[in-house]
Amino acid sequence: MGKRATFSNPAMPMLAFFGFTGLVGVAVFGLIASGKLPSQAAATNATPGAQLGVVITADVRGYLEPCGCSEHMLGGLDRATAQVDAAKKELGAAVHIAAGDTLFAAPPADAAHGQQDQLKAKTILAADAMMNTVALAMGPRDLPMGPPAIAEVKPTFPVIGLGQGPGFSVSKQGDIQLGVATGKDPADLLANVKAAKSAGAEAIIALAQFPLPQLLPQGPQLKAAGADVAVIAHQAADTDGEANHDVDAGLPVLTLMNRGRAIARVDLHRAPGAPPGFALVTSGAEQAHDLELRDAEIESLKKRAHLAESPLKEAMDKKIAEKQAQRDALAAQKPAPPAGRSWLSVRFVELSDAQPRSQAGHALIEKFDADVGQLNLAWARAHGVSCPAPKPGEPAFAGTDSCIACHAEPGDVYKSTEHSHAYTTLEKVHKQFDLDCVRCHVVGTNAPGGVCRVDQVDGRKNVGCESCHGRGSLHADDPNVPVPVPEPGEQNCRVCHTPENSTAFDFHTYLPKILGPGHGKPSAK
């Protein structure tokens, strides 16, 4: 068992790499196993040619799209849907596999979040139907809340891994009998791969609902049983999902960036008259190295452009687009297939803003935004509980206007920052009632005297002075009483500027953007 490649750069969609020697080894092994040479197979096997694109999503965790709080964020249901459309246009036939941990991230914090998460799951199921999904595998994160959503939506495609019915599916797709097998542990996965093979699958995608280390020793057995590609659908740690990886364990084993930030694409090409089985086609190490260098350059440009001011930013964005086009052209170069053999290729595509969006997929997201707004607003009015008042002697929220009334100079600095219109930003995209968003765009979420209901935000809109400095009523009543947090540190910012929501955040780079005369700098007076 050898490790073909592990790529730490998340922006690198690419083919599976282990060089010319590995390609020859795979091809020879397949021919020996079949007992035929290619020429003999052509003479005795009348199997017609066919090709099929398989787009795989995994570890989506209920995310419909990136939050948009940073530039160049990855992911999006509409971008994933467009990848299926592109594969179909290119190959004539394409399907989608939802590998696992698709619908949910974790049990909800409360009933309000629970109903929002259910609506997200239903939206994803609607998108899956749109993407010609041939199997949705239930992962460990899906199982606690997935069955109710499945029961209500009643998807027309197979749902496997619920513990009811077979743990595999086999269907004819683009003249290829495609098998999908799932498993909660290595033994379960192996049994379902064998069952899919017995049911007539020509090509099998194996979906592991357990971490990579548990699968690696079982790779050769999965390959021998008929699996062509394995996908790690459940990743135990968030750090495991920060990059796309393709590992050789006797067959390609893929892990994807979590929260739906990338897809894997497996292209199946059945040669006319070829013997059974698909040889893995690889590109050279030179192409891999070139792609890695190009991705690093693009990523560096994006980070610099994010901090640049106009017109430099516009010029850098144009340069990024040119570099991305060159990089995509290189990645699209196809290797020569093996003579007389059916073959498959594997690559990752990061769902960046350079990727197209499906209009139909985007319409689903917009419908979710409208529906969840009405849902959460009605819930708050019917069941919402206001935040408790501060206890006697505790400070209360005085409000940003109260702060600016006495601190006009730093108030002018504050008004020039994006913090001052954070709530308006949500309103423009109709997300002001989304529970995942609003908490970081108001003052005092779930704090005494703060915001505990989406219908009670008046006086608490935007990221205000007290978001960073704490409740200031005692200071407002007596200026000799210091504010609770005179100099907020990085941890205060990271409550909202998380790696998930603020991908480009760097405390020392961002801090100067909110400082000015009388606010971290000497007064101008």
Side-chain angles (χ1 to χ4, degrees):
M1 181 177 65
K3 186 175 181 181
R4 178 164 64 255
T6 300
F7 301 109
S8 60
N9 191 333
M12 187 160 61
M14 61 195 327
L15 299 169
F17 296 104
F18 61 86
F20 178 77
T21 302
L23 172 58
V24 173
V26 169
V28 171
F29 176 81
L31 294 177
I32 293 174
S34 70
K36 298 177 181 179
L37 294 175
S39 59
Q40 293 173 320
T44 59
N45 191 330
T47 303
Q51 54 187 11
L52 176 69
V54 182
V55 173
I56 303 171
T57 57
D59 206 9
V60 174
R61 304 189 188 186
Y63 281 83
L64 305 184
E65 63 176 340
C67 77
C69 295
S70 291
E71 292 183 322
H72 308 301
M73 297 186 76
L74 305 180
L77 208 60
D78 46 1
R79 291 171 181 162
T81 306
Q83 290 299 315
V84 180
D85 296 338
K88 183 178 181 180
K89 183 177 180 180
E90 182 179 342
L91 300 178
V95 297
H96 166 247
I97 296 172
D101 283 355
T102 298
L103 304 177
F104 298 98
D110 51 44
H113 282 83
Q115 68 170 6
Q116 174 166 307
D117 289 349
Q118 284 290 326
L119 185 56
K120 280 186 179 181
K122 295 171 189 175
T123 303
I124 292 173
L125 289 170
D128 286 346
M130 186 183 296
M131 288 193 282
N132 193 22
T133 297
V134 294
L136 165 67
M138 302 298 283
R141 290 185 174 89
D142 293 320
L143 287 172
M145 298 188 298
I150 297 294
E152 183 174 344
V153 174
K154 297 182 178 61
T156 56
F157 47 81
V159 178
I160 56 178
L162 272 171
Q164 306 166 359
F168 68 94
S169 69
V170 179
S171 59
K172 189 175 183 180
Q173 303 293 337
D175 292 327
I176 293 177
Q177 291 288 345
L178 178 66
V180 183
T182 188
K184 63 181 181 297
D185 54 48
D188 188 35
L189 182 59
L190 181 60
N192 286 323
V193 167
K194 290 178 178 179
K197 191 68 176 179
S198 297
E202 294 179 67
I204 299 175
I205 310 295
L207 310 176
Q209 309 302 332
F210 48 88
L212 178 65
Q214 293 176 245
L215 182 134
L216 290 178
Q218 309 301 321
Q221 289 179 274
L222 289 171
K223 178 66 177 178
D228 294 283
V229 175
V231 179
I232 303 298
H234 175 74
Q235 301 177 37
D238 284 347
T239 52
D240 295 335
E242 286 304 309
N244 300 315
H245 296 292
D246 177 3
V247 178
D248 175 24
L251 77 171
V253 179
L254 314 179
T255 61
L256 281 75
M257 300 172 72
N258 59 25
R259 303 194 302 278
R261 290 177 287 169
I263 60 99
R265 180 166 153 182
V266 178
D267 289 351
L268 300 167
H269 300 263
R270 187 176 62 201
F278 291 83
L280 178 65
V281 169
T282 66
S283 65
E286 295 81 7
Q287 186 189 30
H289 182 62
D290 194 0
L291 283 169
E292 190 170 11
L293 291 176
R294 289 171 185 261
D295 284 328
E297 181 183 13
I298 291 170
E299 188 63 24
S300 176
L301 281 170
K302 286 180 178 179
K303 290 181 178 179
R304 289 160 51 200
H306 178 71
L307 302 173
E309 304 289 343
S310 298
L312 177 60
K313 186 180 187 304
E314 285 79 3
M316 294 183 73
D317 285 341
K318 182 178 180 181
K319 177 62 68 176
I320 289 169
E322 293 173 355
K323 295 285 185 181
Q324 186 70 46
Q326 295 169 1
R327 179 242 176 276
D328 290 344
L330 175 63
Q333 294 177 7
K334 294 185 178 297
R341 287 297 314 277
S342 298
W343 56 279
L344 66 85
S345 63
V346 179
R347 62 188 170 106
F348 297 109
V349 180
E350 71 161 24
L351 300 181
S352 70
D353 47 15
Q355 299 298 335
R357 298 177 186 268
S358 158
Q359 290 185 353
H362 192 67
L364 283 177
I365 297 174
E366 290 184 324
K367 184 177 186 305
F368 168 82
D369 289 336
D371 290 349
V372 82
Q374 295 179 8
L375 184 73
N376 289 339
L377 194 57
W379 177 274
R381 289 168 176 167
H383 308 288
V385 177
S386 302
C387 287
K391 296 178 181 178
E394 284 187 342
F397 287 107
T400 299
D401 290 343
S402 175
C403 300
I404 293 177
C406 291
H407 300 280
E409 192 175 28
D412 290 339
V413 175
Y414 165 76
K415 291 175 184 177
S416 70
T417 70
E418 294 185 18
H419 284 166
S420 67
H421 51 84
Y423 192 83
T424 305
T425 300
L426 287 187
E427 291 179 311
K428 288 180 179 178
V429 293
H430 311 294
K431 294 181 185 293
Q432 70 271 30
F433 302 127
D434 187 315
L435 301 177
D436 293 333
C437 300
V438 70
R439 63 185 182 86
C440 281
H441 291 250
V442 295
V443 177
T445 297
N446 294 330
V451 175
C452 292
R453 298 170 48 164
V454 295
D455 63 332
Q456 293 183 347
V457 297
D458 288 344
R460 301 287 180 267
K461 293 180 180 180
N462 304 316
V463 178
C465 304
E466 291 165 298
S467 297
C468 300
H469 295 287
R471 289 176 278 170
S473 64
L474 299 183
H475 173 74
D477 292 339
D478 182 358
N480 292 317
V481 176
V483 295
V485 186
E487 295 185 10
E490 181 172 355
Q491 286 304 114
N492 186 88
C493 302
R494 288 199 174 275
V495 171
C496 285
H497 287 281
T498 63
E500 170 189 330
N501 295 328
S502 189
T503 56
F505 179 74
D506 176 79
F507 179 71
H508 298 291
T509 301
Y510 273 47
L511 183 61
K513 293 179 178 290
I514 62 170
L515 300 181
H519 189 247
K521 291 185 177 181
S523 174
K525 298 178 181 178

